[in-house]
Amino acid sequence: MFFHSVNLWNLAFYVFMVFLATLGLWDVFFGFEENKCSMSYMFEYPEYQKIELPKKLAKRYPAYELYLYGEGSYAEEHKILPLTGIPVLFLPGNAGSYKQVRSIGSIALRKAEDIDFKYHFDFFSVNFNEELVALYGGSLQKQTKFVHECIKTILKLYKGQEFAPKSVAIIGHSMGGLVARALLTLKNFKHDLINLLITQATPHVAPVMPLDRFITDFYTTVNNYWILNARHINLTTLSVAGGFRDYQVRSGLTFLPKLSHHTSALSVVSSAVPKTWVSTDHLSIVWCKQLQLTTVRAFFDLIDADTKQITQNSKKKLSVLNHHFIRHPSKHFEENPAIISDLTGTSMWVPVKVSKWTYVAYNESEKIYFTFPLENHRKIYTHVYCQSTMLDTNSWIFACINSTSMCLQGVDLSWKAELLPTIKYLTLRLQDYPSLSHLVVYVPSVHGSKFVVDCEFFKKEKRYVQLPVTHLFSFGLSSRKVVLNTNGLYYNLELLNFGQIYQAFKINVVSKCSAVKEEITNIYRLHIPWSYEDSLTIAQAPSSTEISLKLHIAQPENDTHVALFKMYTSSDCRYEVTVKTSFSQILGQVVRFHGGALPAYVVSNILLAYRGQLYSLFSTGCCLEYAAMLDKEAKPYKVDPFVIIIKFLLGYKWFKELWDVLLLPELDAVILTSQSMCFPLISLILFLFGTCTAYWSGLLSSASVRLLSSLWLALKRPSELPKDIKMISPDLPFLTIVLIIVSWTTCGALAILLSYLYYVFKVVHLQASLTTFKNSQPVNPKHSRRSEKKSNHHKDSSIHHLRLSANDAEDSLRMHSTVINLLTWIVLLSMPSLIYWLKNLRYYFKLNPDPCKPLAFILIPTMAILGNTYTVSIKSSKLLKTTSQFPLPLAVGVIAFGSAHLYRLPCFVFIPLLLHALCNFM
C-alpha cells in the first residue's frame, strides 16, 4: 500500500539516493589506510592504586575515583606514599576507562628505567565511570570540578619532598581534553596548577553531535573564555588528531583556534607527527606505540634539571613540542643548540665539483668530509638538496664561510634538516646563504652498516611543477597529468586551486625505472601549509601508487599558500603523476562534515509532508498517503531560499541589530560559514538525502505497525473498530499524571519513551481493528466504502456521537503513521540522556540536570490525546486550517536553527503536534 502511492521515477530516485549515501558512508567508515599503529604492551602486570579522597569529596562525587598507575616493583614501592616523581594526570573521554593510561604509563616507566630513574613520571588517572559525556553534557561541569579537586589531592601527595611539584601535566583523551580546558573557567582555579596540556582526539571547536543544550553551553563557555582571555592564558597546549581513521571525531574539530596573540597552542594530525606518521582511530590514539613513544620523549625533554619537574619556561615547552610533533631534524633536542661546530680531526677532505653526487658508504674505516664549492653552482642553480639514509642523531651536513677548500669550523645545517621515515634531508635556497662558500657532507666511520648519501643542485623551475586540480563537477571523467623526466631526487608539485574541504582527488603516481639491482623506496608527501595535517605514503619503485587527497581544514580566506605534493624520488626513475576528482570521496566529505545535520533535514521533510496531510484533511476531508504528500510537498525551494535570504540580510548591520533585539539565536548557516564548512549546494544535497531518509523511515514505520498488528491479532482475540469515538478515555488522565510524575522524579526521556510506546500501542490496536473489520466485510469493498462515506456525512458533528468507519480508520492511520515518524526522531534525540540515566542509576535516581524534562511535560499529554485522535474528529475543527499552516515555517526553522543544534528539533516538532491535539477541542 505504501509503495502504491509512489511512482516509479520517485522510487528510482530514492534508491539512487541510497546508493549515493552508501558511497559516502563507505568512504567515511572504510575509505582510509589500514591501522599501522603498533600495539603497546606492558612488561609487567599493570596495577591501579586507588587514591583515597577526602570523605566529603567522595560523598559529593560517589561515581568518580582517582588512581595511580604502576607496574611490578614500581607499583609496590609507591603504595607507600608520599611520591617523588613528576605528576601527570590522564583524563578519559566519552565512555572512556581510567585504565587507558596504561599505554603511556608503561612506556614512560621503561624510559625512566633506561636512565636509572634519574627522572620519572607518576601517572594518575581519573575514573569518570565511563560516562557518555559526548551525548549528555549535564555532567561535564561536575567532571571539571572533580578534576580540580584531584589536582589538589595529587599535589598533596608530594608534600615534604625536596623537589615537590607545584603543578601537574594533563593528558586528555576525547572529551577529557575539553574538561581539562574547562578547568581554567572555574572561579577558584589557579592557572599555574597546570604546566602542560596534551589532548588526543578532542573536539575543541564544537560538539560532534549537539544533542542537548548543556553540551553547547559548555562549549560556548570554554571557547569564549579561551578567546577572551587568550592574552592571559600561558598554558602550553598541544592537540593531536587521529586523521581520517578517526570517524568519530573528525580532525577539523580538534584544531585549537589560531589567535595571533596566543602562540602557546599547537594542533597537529597524527599522520604528520614525526616518527609516528600514521593515522589513528578514536581509541587507538591512546595506545598507538609510535605516538606514545613520541609523547614520552617530549615529556622527558621538558624536564628542568634544576627543579626535576616540567619546565616553567613557555618558550622551551613550545620548542620541545615543535621538535617532536611538528618538525624533527633527526637530532636530540637541545634548548640552545651549537650553531658552529668543529670540523677537525684525522679526516679526509674530498672536493666534489659535479652537480649531482651519490656516495654509498659501507664499512668506512675513516671519517670523510665531502665539500661542494657553491660559487660556480650559484651561477647556474637556485637550490641544493641533500639526503642521507643513515638515520642517526649526529650532525651530518655543514657549511663553510669564506673558505677555499676546507674549514676548521662550520655552520651546522643539520638543525635545518627534516626527518622522514627512510631518509633525512635538507633543501637550501642558495641566495638565502650568500656568505657560505662550501657545503660539507660528513660521512662517519661505520662498521657493518650501509647507507647512501645523495646531493644535487637544481633550478627551481625544473623541480617546482604546477599541477592544477580537476574541477569538482568533472566526476572523475577528466584528469590532469605531468611527466617528470629530469632524473631528480626531489620534486615539488603545486596543487593549484586545492583548498576547500569539499574537494577530493585521487593522485596516481607511476614510476618507471631503468634496470636496478636494489629496491628503490620513494616517499610521497601531501603538505598542507596552513595546517599541520601532512600525510606520507611510502612506495617501492617501479610501481603504480594511488593516493587520496582531501583536507581536514579549509584554506583561510587571506592565506595565499598552495598545497604541495612533495616527492622524494630516485634519479634512476621517471614519474607520471595524474590527478582526477574522486566523486565517492566528495560524498565522503559531505557525510564527514555535514552528516550530523541530516536529522534536521529529515524532520524538515516530514514536517512538510505532515503539512500536506493536514491541509488535504482540511480541504478535501481525506488524509492522503504520507509518501504521496512527501513527493508533493517536500521541495527544497520551500525551505532553502528563506534560509539563504536571512543569511544574506544578516550581513547588514540594521538587520543584525533587529535580529539581536528579537533575541533570536544565531543562524546555523552563519556558524558553519565561520567554521569554513560551506559546500556548494550543500543544503540542497542534504535536503535530498533528508527526503530519501524520510521516505524510507516512513516505509519502515508503516511496515512496523502492520507487523505489530499482525502479531497482536495472532496473540489476542480480534478487536472491532470503536463504535463511539472518545477523545479522553477514563484512564487517560491517570496515565498522563503518572507519566508526568515519572518525568519529574526520574528522567524526562524515560517518560517520553513510555508515552511513545503508549501511542504506538494505540496505533497498532487501530490497525489490528481495521484488519479485522476488512476481513469480515463482503467482497465489494468500494461499494461499502462509498456507503460508509455517505452515511458518515449525515451524522451529527459532535465527536462524542461519531462512529468510526473503515475509511476514517484508514485516514487516521495515515495521519498516525506520519506522527509516529516525527515522534520517533524526538525519542531518538532524547535517548542519550536516558542511556546516561540508566548507566548511573545506582548513584542517582533522578537525572539532574535533565534536558528532556520541560519537553516531557508538554509532549506527554499531547501524545496521550493524539493516541485517541481520529481524522473524523478534527476535520471540522476551526483550528485545523491554522494547524496546517504551521509546519511550513517550522520546517524552515528546523533548517535555520536546528542543523547545528539538534536538541532544538523537538521544540519545532511538538508545536504542530500540540495544535493537532487542540483541534479536538476547537
Side-chain angles (χ1 to χ4, degrees):
M1 185 176 179
F2 192 92
F3 280 113
H4 292 164
S5 58
V6 183
N7 64 50
L8 291 178
W9 285 110
N10 288 332
L11 186 60
F13 166 75
Y14 294 136
V15 172
F16 177 67
M17 293 304 295
V18 169
F19 171 72
L20 294 183
T22 304
L23 286 179
L25 290 169
W26 185 93
D27 180 72
V28 171
F29 293 108
F30 304 103
F32 42 70
E33 65 181 55
E34 62 181 6
N35 194 349
K36 297 178 182 177
C37 278
S38 300
M39 177 66 76
S40 51
Y41 294 98
M42 286 76 253
F43 288 85
E44 297 178 89
Y45 189 78
E47 294 186 32
Y48 306 89
Q49 179 184 347
K50 186 176 178 180
I51 303 298
E52 188 174 348
L53 299 172
K55 290 184 178 179
K56 286 185 178 179
L57 189 62
K59 188 176 181 180
R60 196 187 315 159
Y61 305 101
Y64 299 160
E65 296 167 322
L66 177 65
Y67 287 89
L68 171 64
Y69 177 79
E71 294 178 18
S73 59
Y74 169 84
E76 291 298 321
E77 290 173 8
H78 287 81
K79 285 182 180 178
I80 305 172
L81 304 173
L83 303 173
T84 58
I86 303 169
V88 179
L89 179 60
F90 175 80
L91 304 180
N94 177 58
S97 169
Y98 66 95
K99 295 182 179 180
Q100 290 173 313
V101 73
R102 62 184 178 270
S103 295
I104 192 168
S106 181
I107 292 173
L109 183 59
R110 301 284 84 77
K111 177 77 172 175
E113 287 178 349
D114 291 342
I115 58 174
D116 296 325
F117 284 93
K118 180 182 179 182
Y119 310 111
H120 74 274
F121 289 86
D122 299 319
F123 278 84
F124 297 85
S125 184
V126 174
N127 178 17
F128 285 134
N129 192 34
E130 300 184 10
E131 290 181 335
L132 302 172
V133 287
L135 304 179
Y136 169 76
S139 61
L140 284 168
Q141 191 67 23
K142 184 169 59 176
Q143 287 190 1
T144 306
K145 292 178 179 178
F146 179 74
V147 171
H148 183 199
E149 299 296 333
C150 285
I151 292 173
K152 293 189 286 187
T153 301
I154 289 169
L155 294 177
K156 288 177 182 177
L157 301 177
Y158 295 85
K159 273 194 173 180
Q161 298 302 306
E162 183 181 359
F163 299 101
K166 298 179 181 179
S167 57
V168 302
I170 294 182
I171 300 175
H173 172 240
S174 188
M175 295 297 287
L178 187 70
V179 168
R181 288 180 63 217
L183 285 168
L184 275 62
T185 66
L186 298 179
K187 289 183 179 179
N188 301 321
F189 185 79
K190 297 178 181 178
H191 290 196
D192 56 3
L193 288 178
I194 309 176
N195 53 49
L196 177 69
L197 172 59
I198 296 178
T199 66
Q200 299 172 335
T202 296
H204 292 293
V205 177
V208 177
M209 293 291 285
L211 296 174
D212 66 53
R213 64 180 179 86
F214 303 121
I215 296 178
T216 54
D217 289 349
F218 190 80
Y219 266 90
T220 301
T221 301
V222 173
N223 286 332
N224 285 348
Y225 182 89
W226 276 65
I227 292 171
L228 296 174
N229 297 277
R231 294 181 184 274
H232 310 292
I233 295 176
N234 198 31
L235 175 59
T236 303
T237 308
L238 170 71
S239 175
V240 183
F244 288 109
R245 278 194 63 83
D246 189 352
Y247 51 78
Q248 294 185 46
V249 176
R250 61 178 179 83
S251 297
L253 291 176
T254 68
F255 278 64
L256 291 160
K258 288 185 178 180
L259 302 171
S260 58
H261 47 268
H262 182 53
T263 57
S264 298
L266 289 174
S267 302
V268 63
V269 180
S270 61
S271 59
V273 175
K275 295 191 175 183
T276 301
W277 295 306
V278 295
S279 177
T280 64
D281 59 53
H282 196 62
L283 292 179
S284 68
I285 198 169
V286 299
W287 57 254
C288 181
K289 187 176 181 180
Q290 296 96 313
L291 183 59
Q292 300 311 320
L293 282 170
T294 299
T295 306
V296 168
R297 291 188 201 106
F299 268 123
F300 276 88
D301 281 341
L302 285 164
I303 297 173
D304 187 324
D306 296 328
T307 63
K308 294 190 176 180
Q309 296 293 325
I310 289 179
T311 180
Q312 296 299 317
N313 187 333
S314 298
K315 186 177 179 181
K316 179 182 177 180
K317 284 189 280 191
L318 206 60
S319 296
V320 170
L321 295 179
N322 269 295
H323 179 91
H324 288 283
F325 287 90
I326 305 298
R327 186 178 174 278
H328 198 296
S330 191
K331 288 180 68 65
H332 292 306
F333 175 80
E334 295 180 27
E335 187 174 357
N336 298 302
I339 302 300
I340 304 299
S341 299
D342 293 329
L343 305 181
T344 57
T346 55
S347 306
M348 291 178 58
W349 285 78
V350 180
V352 179
K353 296 183 179 181
V354 295
S355 61
K356 185 175 293 185
W357 169 84
T358 298
Y359 184 79
V360 180
Y362 182 67
N363 283 337
E364 297 295 327
S365 58
E366 55 183 323
K367 305 172 185 177
I368 307 175
Y369 288 106
F370 292 94
T371 63
F372 298 79
L374 300 179
E375 184 178 356
N376 292 330
H377 289 306
R378 277 199 179 93
K379 299 175 183 177
I380 306 173
Y381 304 106
T382 60
H383 290 72
V384 59
Y385 171 87
C386 290
Q387 67 179 33
S388 173
T389 60
M390 186 175 186
L391 305 182
D392 63 351
T393 56
N394 296 317
S395 296
W396 63 286
I397 188 163
F398 307 89
C400 294
I401 300 176
N402 300 324
S403 173
T404 54
S405 60
M406 60 177 286
C407 52
L408 297 179
Q409 289 186 322
V411 178
D412 191 350
L413 298 176
S414 305
W415 291 101
K416 296 183 179 294
E418 186 170 3
L419 178 67
L420 291 178
T422 58
I423 60 170
K424 54 186 177 183
Y425 78 96
L426 173 69
T427 305
L428 293 179
R429 192 167 69 162
L430 296 178
Q431 71 179 44
D432 293 340
Y433 302 90
S435 61
L436 302 185
S437 59
H438 288 74
L439 191 69
V440 180
V441 175
Y442 171 61
V443 176
S445 58
V446 291
H447 300 282
S449 297
K450 181 179 180 180
F451 63 95
V452 181
V453 183
D454 298 278
C455 284
E456 67 170 352
F457 293 84
F458 62 86
K459 290 182 179 180
K460 179 181 178 179
E461 57 268 22
K462 295 289 186 180
R463 304 298 174 81
Y464 285 65
V465 182
Q466 292 186 343
L467 178 59
V469 296
T470 49
H471 194 271
L472 177 68
F473 297 110
S474 63
F475 301 107
L477 300 176
S478 61
S479 62
R480 303 272 174 81
K481 182 169 72 172
V482 294
V483 180
L484 308 173
N485 283 323
T486 54
N487 294 53
L489 297 171
Y490 171 75
Y491 296 96
N492 213 337
L493 272 61
E494 298 178 354
L495 302 174
L496 303 181
N497 308 317
F498 177 44
Q500 301 301 324
I501 53 174
Y502 53 79
Q503 293 177 298
F505 307 94
K506 286 183 179 178
I507 274 192
N508 189 52
V509 183
V510 178
S511 55
K512 300 176 182 179
C513 307
S514 56
V516 288
K517 296 180 181 179
E518 296 184 358
E519 194 176 65
I520 297 173
T521 301
N522 296 322
I523 300 175
Y524 308 131
R525 176 185 184 185
L526 174 63
H527 175 63
I528 308 300
W530 55 84
S531 63
Y532 299 117
E533 56 175 285
D534 292 15
S535 58
L536 280 73
T537 302
I538 300 174
Q540 305 302 322
S543 65
S544 176
T545 306
E546 189 173 81
I547 303 168
S548 295
L549 301 184
K550 48 194 174 187
L551 297 173
H552 298 290
I553 298 286
Q555 185 174 13
E557 286 185 10
N558 299 324
D559 196 297
T560 57
H561 292 94
V562 179
L564 302 174
F565 186 70
K566 298 187 175 184
M567 302 173 62
Y568 306 89
T569 57
S570 169
S571 58
D572 295 320
C573 302
R574 309 288 184 274
Y575 298 86
E576 290 183 0
V577 183
T578 307
V579 61
K580 62 180 179 179
T581 300
S582 174
F583 182 63
S584 62
Q585 292 188 64
I586 290 174
L587 293 173
Q589 291 291 80
V590 170
V591 174
R592 183 175 288 109
F593 283 86
H594 292 280
L598 184 61
Y601 286 86
V602 177
V603 170
S604 180
N605 274 275
I606 299 173
L607 282 172
L608 291 174
Y610 185 40
R611 172 190 177 275
Q613 287 184 314
L614 289 170
Y615 188 77
S616 69
L617 185 64
F618 165 74
S619 58
T620 66
C622 297
C623 180
L624 300 181
E625 282 283 355
Y626 167 77
M629 285 293 96
L630 189 67
D631 291 338
K632 181 181 178 182
E633 298 291 335
K635 305 299 181 185
Y637 60 79
K638 294 185 177 182
V639 175
D640 284 347
F642 294 99
V643 179
I644 294 169
I645 291 170
I646 294 171
K647 181 183 175 184
F648 173 75
L649 291 175
L650 282 171
Y652 291 95
K653 185 178 179 180
W654 65 270
F655 191 81
K656 183 68 171 68
E657 290 175 352
L658 177 63
W659 190 270
D660 294 336
V661 167
L662 295 174
L663 301 178
L664 293 171
E666 190 171 15
L667 200 68
D668 284 356
V670 175
I671 297 173
L672 296 179
T673 302
S674 66
Q675 297 176 5
S676 301
M677 284 178 55
C678 285
F679 280 52
L681 306 176
I682 185 58
S683 188
L684 173 62
I685 295 169
L686 287 174
F687 192 93
L688 295 178
F689 277 129
T691 306
C692 173
T693 307
Y695 169 78
W696 292 111
S697 65
L699 176 62
L700 180 63
S701 64
S702 179
S704 299
V705 167
R706 291 178 181 277
L707 181 63
L708 290 172
S709 67
S710 300
L711 185 62
W712 175 264
L713 289 174
L715 298 175
K716 297 282 290 183
R717 189 178 63 181
S719 53
E720 296 180 355
L721 290 173
K723 295 181 180 179
D724 292 318
I725 298 175
K726 293 183 179 180
M727 181 181 51
I728 300 179
S729 57
D731 59 336
L732 195 60
F734 173 76
L735 179 65
T736 302
I737 293 170
V738 168
L739 289 174
I740 288 177
I741 292 173
V742 168
S743 173
W744 180 263
T745 57
T746 58
C747 172
L750 174 64
I752 290 174
L753 177 62
L754 294 175
S755 302
Y756 172 76
L757 293 176
Y758 167 79
Y759 183 85
V760 171
F761 167 75
K762 296 292 289 184
V763 175
V764 168
H765 187 269
L766 179 60
Q767 178 68 60
S769 301
L770 179 61
T771 303
T772 303
F773 177 80
K774 284 185 174 182
N775 291 339
S776 63
Q777 289 302 298
V779 182
N780 190 357
K782 290 184 180 179
H783 176 73
S784 62
R785 273 201 292 270
R786 243 189 330 264
S787 62
E788 282 170 7
K789 280 186 182 180
K790 189 174 179 181
S791 61
N792 221 34
H793 181 72
H794 295 287
K795 287 183 181 180
D796 193 294
S797 61
S798 174
I799 60 172
H800 297 288
H801 302 290
L802 285 175
R803 177 184 175 85
L804 188 69
S805 66
N807 200 48
D808 292 326
E810 285 184 351
D811 277 358
S812 299
L813 282 171
R814 294 187 190 112
M815 186 69 76
H816 283 310
S817 177
T818 305
V819 173
I820 285 179
N821 218 348
L822 284 170
L823 292 175
T824 299
W825 283 99
I826 293 181
V827 171
L828 288 175
L829 292 171
S830 65
M831 278 297 100
S833 60
L834 175 61
I835 296 169
Y836 178 90
W837 175 75
L838 289 171
K839 189 172 174 50
N840 291 273
L841 194 55
R842 56 178 173 162
Y843 302 108
Y844 313 103
F845 185 72
K846 182 179 180 180
L847 183 63
N848 186 33
D850 189 347
C852 297
K853 187 178 293 183
L855 177 67
F857 289 162
I858 300 174
L859 206 57
I860 289 169
T862 300
M863 281 195 280
I865 295 172
L866 287 177
N868 292 272
T869 297
Y870 304 93
T871 54
V872 67
S873 64
I874 66 169
K875 63 174 65 176
S876 59
S877 170
K878 297 178 181 179
L879 191 61
L880 182 59
K881 183 178 180 180
T882 304
T883 302
S884 67
Q885 293 171 347
F886 262 81
L888 178 58
L890 292 172
V892 177
V894 164
I895 303 302
F897 303 109
S899 55
H901 299 83
L902 295 180
Y903 64 89
R904 293 173 180 167
L905 299 189
C907 301
F908 289 98
V909 171
F910 89 81
I911 294 174
L913 294 180
L914 179 62
L915 292 173
H916 186 169
L918 290 175
C919 286
N920 288 281
F921 305 97
M922 301 175 69

